[in-house]
Amino acid sequence: MDLLEKCRAYAWADEVRDAGLYPYYPAFQGAVEGGQAVLDGAEVCMLGSSNYRALSSNLQVVGAAQDAIALYGTSTTGSRLLNGNLDLHEELEADLANYLGFEAALLFSTGYTTNLGVVSCLAGRGDQVYLDEKAHASLIDGARLSAAAGAAVLQFRHNDPDDLARQLATAPTRSALVATEGVFSVEGDLAPVPELVAVCEEYGATLLVDDAHGVGAIGRGRGVIHHFGMGGRVPLMTLSFSTSLASQGGAVLADARTIDYLRHTSRPQIFSSGLSPADTAAAHASLREIRRRADRASDAVAAAEHLRAALDAIGFDVAGSDSPVVPVRFSDQVAVLTAQRVLVDHGIHTSALLPPACQGYQLRIACTAAHTPEVLDAVIGVFAALREDLLSNPRRVA
Ligand code: PMP
């Protein structure tokens, strides 16, 4: 059997396509505006993105990206360490650090490589990594690299500081990294940051909060750490620019010594090109807008609360709280794929998540500032009208 035999034998996607239920890689035509996107020539309400502040087509953000291309060109053409460093990068790092309450920041080319680069660089032989069991794949993959370098990687129960404390109490050394999401991207709940801080401080562990889904949307825009009044108590924070900052890229925030260490030793940082001028400028323009309009930060959360309550009342199994993410749970793969298809046929785009992206079967619905009560009431009307179709699963996948 040659290496590619597994690819030739791979049947799952074809089976789902043949059943007319394939939901992945939809090709949208154009930008999302006012919460609406165009799919197969028809308008759909975009409830599957993490564009919480609806800034991806904001005129200032788009203009900043255009101006950066005009002035800096399209590429950094190399690693920042050598030739790809721009004043744009350093200005964004300074503003992020200042806004989020850390000494320094370091950009990476995606949120994924941020987590990969931070975890794998900081934890190695003789260290332990404790992951919330529902932590994002990028934190898990960073920990896998740490394990390859000799770290012990363990999990604690989701949002359970007591379980973490029990494990840290018997840990062989105090050289531990504890990693969690701030707002869980799939479950839509918040990490208990004060309790995690207390446990980490008691056992001398270093806490990393990945707040990809909190910055912009929680804590008047400053994320989950500030939402809980824990500024200055969490030593490491990461974020993605592909959510509220409406761009591409990511960043880690920490004390200046840690950032300098990462700048010189984190492999995804030094062996990959600097963030493009357009992405850097767009993220910076979004950050300015988020700072300027702290009063709009909770719009997406308020929209999600409205939708969550209505779907619950109609009889859907909804979860999540205090965040823009509304998970709707289904019994199995066919049920969730059928629901996704029925909704898209009626002008609503949501994301169907299956294992390993989540531990069950769910539609991930995410609200943004563009989802006004009128838009959501129309969505709720569709859910109500289709309740029977959505909750039954008439189509079968082979
Ligand atoms: N962390 C979390 C919690 C995420 O949900 C994601 C995906 N949006 C990432 C990291 C990776 O971010 P990016 O898309 O910028 O690679």
Side-chain angles (χ1 to χ4, degrees):
M1 215 185 349
D2 71 51
L3 182 80
L4 301 183
E5 178 55 29
K6 58 175 133 344
C7 311
R8 290 188 288 274
Y10 180 70
W12 181 84
D14 281 340
E15 286 167 8
V16 178
R17 281 188 200 104
D18 291 347
L21 294 178
Y22 186 75
Y24 300 120
Y25 296 93
F28 294 98
Q29 293 114 27
V32 181
E33 300 217 36
Q36 301 289 314
V38 178
L39 183 61
D40 297 331
E43 280 227 323
V44 288
C45 181
M46 171 51 88
L47 280 169
S49 85
S50 300
N51 185 24
Y52 304 124
R53 296 295 290 258
L55 291 173
S56 65
S57 50
N58 174 283
L59 290 182
Q60 269 77 34
V61 176
V62 172
Q66 287 168 337
D67 291 349
I69 291 179
L71 282 170
Y72 291 81
T74 50
S75 169
T76 55
T77 74
S79 168
R80 290 180 66 196
L81 186 73
L82 301 174
N83 68 301
N85 192 33
L86 302 175
D87 54 358
L88 294 180
H89 296 139
E90 297 192 357
E91 287 158 14
L92 175 55
E93 286 170 343
D95 272 2
L96 277 171
N98 170 280
Y99 178 57
L100 296 171
F102 287 81
E103 276 179 20
L106 181 64
L107 309 183
F108 283 79
S109 52
T110 64
Y112 180 92
T113 50
T114 307
N115 284 333
L116 198 77
V118 171
V119 175
S120 65
C121 180
L122 295 180
R125 189 146 49 92
D127 303 323
Q128 299 107 43
V129 182
Y130 293 87
L131 295 170
D132 182 287
E133 65 182 343
K134 295 196 173 169
H136 191 260
S138 51
L139 292 167
I140 296 171
D141 293 352
R144 287 178 175 165
L145 290 176
S146 295
V153 176
L154 303 118
Q155 288 190 330
F156 59 97
R157 282 205 296 272
H158 178 55
N159 278 351
D160 189 341
D162 293 337
D163 185 38
L164 175 65
R166 272 191 296 276
Q167 297 193 44
L168 284 172
T170 55
T173 75
R174 291 169 72 84
S175 184
L177 175 69
V178 172
T180 184
E181 291 179 44
V183 173
F184 281 83
S185 55
V186 172
E187 290 73 20
D189 50 356
L190 308 192
V193 177
E195 291 80 4
L196 291 173
V197 164
V199 170
C200 289
E201 286 179 352
E202 182 177 350
Y203 292 101
T206 301
L207 179 61
L208 163 62
V209 175
D210 168 6
D211 209 15
H213 297 271
V215 172
I218 307 282
R220 289 181 59 79
R222 297 174 82 202
V224 89
I225 296 173
H226 290 277
H227 170 81
F228 285 114
M230 287 285 115
R233 303 277 296 278
V234 175
L236 294 168
M237 170 181 169
T238 56
L239 73 152
S240 161
F241 299 163
S242 61
T243 53
S244 288
L245 270 69
S247 181
Q248 189 80 32
V252 56
L253 295 113
D255 67 275
R257 296 299 306 164
T258 302
I259 293 298
D260 205 42
Y261 180 76
L262 290 166
R263 270 160 77 87
H264 294 99
T265 56
S266 176
R267 292 168 69 84
Q269 175 65 219
I270 58 184
F271 293 110
S272 185
S273 300
L275 195 61
S276 82
D279 291 327
T280 312
H284 208 156
S286 293
L287 180 68
R288 281 191 208 99
E289 187 62 13
I290 288 169
R291 288 186 93 146
R292 193 177 71 83
R293 296 305 309 266
D295 58 314
R296 301 290 310 273
S298 55
D299 286 5
V301 175
E305 269 162 17
H306 179 62
L307 187 59
R308 194 179 287 119
L311 295 185
D312 182 46
I314 298 170
F316 288 94
D317 179 3
V318 287
S321 58
D322 300 326
S323 86
V325 181
V326 183
V328 183
R329 294 169 177 149
F330 290 83
S331 55
D332 55 41
Q333 170 175 294
V334 176
V336 73
L337 293 176
T338 303
Q340 202 278 348
R341 167 57 44 198
V342 169
L343 285 168
V344 108
D345 288 347
H346 289 82
I348 299 172
H349 179 77
T350 60
S351 304
L353 302 187
L354 312 172
C358 72
Q359 286 172 6
Y361 301 89
Q362 72 170 58
L363 288 182
R364 179 183 186 273
I365 300 180
C367 292
T368 75
H371 294 112
T372 58
E374 299 72 54
V375 171
L376 289 178
D377 286 341
V379 165
I380 292 162
V382 173
F383 269 89
L386 297 174
R387 185 181 176 282
E388 296 312 318
D389 278 1
L390 291 173
L391 292 178
S392 61
N393 44 5
R395 292 179 234 198
R396 283 277 150 212
V397 183

